[in-house]
């Protein structure tokens, strides 16, 4: 499915967040997009949190569950994601949740491909 109307299991997208001088470097990553149900589950978990877990921790775990690779110099993990610059953290989540598009890729100026063919081969 390449028309960006449906989210098929197993597909990954590539995204880029352009550098913002003085705020953050560019981040290029691949991810599995969140479904509406997944977004609702995260929102409900944040709304009913009572165990001392912060909203940031819950969102970081959601991001870690969906980001498959990135160009950062560390592994994708909830602990590392919590260390992201706040504006970058918010932008990554917005892309995963389908609320924000990717920026153009830094080297080519091209918008990333919507679906990665390699994902088809892995599933």
């Amino acid at each position: 499915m390449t028309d960006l109307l449906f989210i098929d299991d197993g597909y990954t997208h590539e995204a880029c967040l352009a550098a913002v001088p003085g705020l953050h470097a560019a981040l290029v990553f691949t991810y599995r997009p969140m479904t509406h149900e997944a977004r609702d589950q995260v929102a409900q978990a944040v709304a009913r949190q009572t165990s001392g877990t912060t909203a940031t921790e819950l969102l970081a775990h959601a991001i870690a569950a969906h980001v498959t690779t990135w160009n950062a110099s560390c592994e994708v993990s909830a602990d590392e994601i919590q260390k992201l610059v706040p504006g970058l953290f918010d932008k990554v989540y917005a892309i995963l949740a389908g609320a924000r598009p990717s920026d153009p890729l830094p080297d080519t100026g091209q918008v990333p491909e919507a679906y990665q063919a390699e994902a088809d081969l892995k599933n």
Side-chain angles (χ1 to χ4, degrees), residues 39-51 53-55 58-59:
R39 284 190 334 184
D40 281 351
Q41 289 172 348
V42 172
Q44 289 171 12
V46 168
R48 71 172 178 264
Q49 62 167 328
T50 58
S51 65
T53 302
T54 67
L58 292 169
L59 291 171

Side-chain angles (χ1 to χ4, degrees), residues 4 9-10 12-13 19 27 29 34-35 39 42-43 46 50 63-64 68 75 78 89 92 105 109 118:
L4 297 179
D9 185 40
T12 59
H13 292 249
L27 181 67
F29 59 99
M34 296 178 83
T35 61
R39 284 190 334 184
V42 172
V46 168
T50 58
I63 292 169
T68 56
E75 290 187 31
F89 182 104
V92 171
L105 292 169
E118 297 84 5

